[in-house]
Amino acid sequence: MTATAPASATESAARPLPPFPWTDRDLDRFREVQQLAYRCAEGVAAWIGPGVTERQTAAELRRRLIAEGVRDFFHIPFAWFGERTAFRRFRTPLQFFPTDRRLSEGMPYVLDCAPIVDGYTADIGYGGRIGGTGANPVWDKLTEDLAGYRELILAEVRAGRPLADVYRAVDERIIRDGYENRHQVYPGRVIGHQVTRLHSRLPSGVNLFGFGVRTLQTLGRELVGERIQGRSPLWADGRASRHPATPGLWAVEPHIAFRDTGTKFEELLVVTGDPANPAYWLDDDLPHVRRWTAGPSGQAAATSAAPATPSSQ
């Protein structure tokens, strides 16, 4: 990991934060899209089984999203199996794309999709493993411990700490738990990024390097605008993230691994700028939260219930 100097109070508070940009109706729409994404991921989790490939799984996830009315994506759907859930030997962005890696009994998997509906964006991550209780004890333990990262991130953001400091607090927790930080492998080392409502005249459904062209246009515009203000819409551990979270919505994805098993969650965090309630998770009715609430018996929700019938691409 790249060491960075702590942000000073003067640096992190150098510029005032903008007002919260969303209405209650907007938040309802973002929540609906996030629920749609998780509903499709859960459907695919019940569909897959031994022998299915990453490519078939990503295609099935895309098919289900389109059937739900999705016509554009922040990024295309991804699926990672086995050691690829821990991003082993990932050296270039092309290695994130789905492969012919096949599932087998006990193997972990991660599904990641980012649908856009009427401009409203969600970005979610769903972790699972093939087989019943005890099929992969390492995955079970990783998934159980992820709950603490969700609590930690919320507490740190609510305290108004600079994003780079929150990132380091997560790193410290990962090291203390005996795991590895794998979100540092994502482009830009990001643990999260802002999401917004896309407004673009570019055609929907057109992708470049895995990202929608309308996403790239919007993200580029935000990067320039935020940099002018001394901020960044990308949440990493470097100098650009030495500021508190900008009011708005952030897709947050702590990704941890032990050896060749990795998992994560990804969901939307609301940052309000209101001292009375500075931040909260947009929705607690999500698969990983229900899993933690149910305890060990809830782990069954993450397993494949039936053999798959792979669809052709």
Side-chain angles (χ1 to χ4, degrees), residues 70-209:
V70 175
R71 297 294 177 265
D72 202 4
F73 295 89
F74 184 88
H75 63 68
I76 63 173
F78 292 99
W80 303 300
F81 296 168
E83 75 285 350
R84 285 175 51 80
T85 63
F87 294 163
R88 294 302 176 207
R89 294 171 291 281
F90 278 34
R91 298 289 182 267
T92 71
L94 293 177
Q95 290 173 295
F96 287 92
F97 287 84
T99 69
D100 289 326
R101 183 75 163 91
R102 293 185 181 275
L103 273 177
S104 60
E105 187 69 20
M107 187 177 284
Y109 61 85
V110 173
L111 309 177
D112 191 311
C113 66
I116 300 170
V117 179
D118 192 24
Y120 292 95
T121 306
D123 197 349
I124 68 104
Y126 181 98
R129 49 99 169 95
I130 297 299
T133 303
N136 190 325
V138 172
W139 183 89
D140 291 346
K141 178 60 175 169
L142 284 167
T143 299
E144 178 185 343
D145 289 345
L146 267 180
Y149 294 87
R150 190 176 191 262
E151 296 168 358
L152 172 65
I153 290 167
L154 179 60
E156 294 282 302
V157 172
R158 287 179 62 86
R161 297 192 66 195
L163 293 175
D165 287 1
V166 182
Y167 193 111
R168 281 190 290 275
V170 173
D171 269 352
E172 291 168 2
R173 174 70 175 260
I174 291 172
I175 293 169
R176 187 167 66 248
D177 287 347
Y179 302 143
E180 292 180 76
N181 170 345
R182 302 319 289 162
H183 44 265
Q184 66 179 342
V185 182
Y186 288 113
R189 297 175 56 88
V190 298
I191 192 174
H193 58 85
Q194 278 192 285
V195 300
T196 186
R197 187 178 182 191
L198 296 187
H199 296 282
S200 174
R201 295 182 179 178
L202 293 176
S204 63
V206 178
N207 301 298
L208 184 65
F209 305 117

Side-chain angles (χ1 to χ4, degrees), residues 244-264:
T246 306
L249 289 172
W250 292 81
V252 186
E253 52 183 331
H255 193 145
I256 60 176
F258 182 78
R259 296 178 181 170
D260 284 345
T261 298
T263 194
K264 72 168 187 175

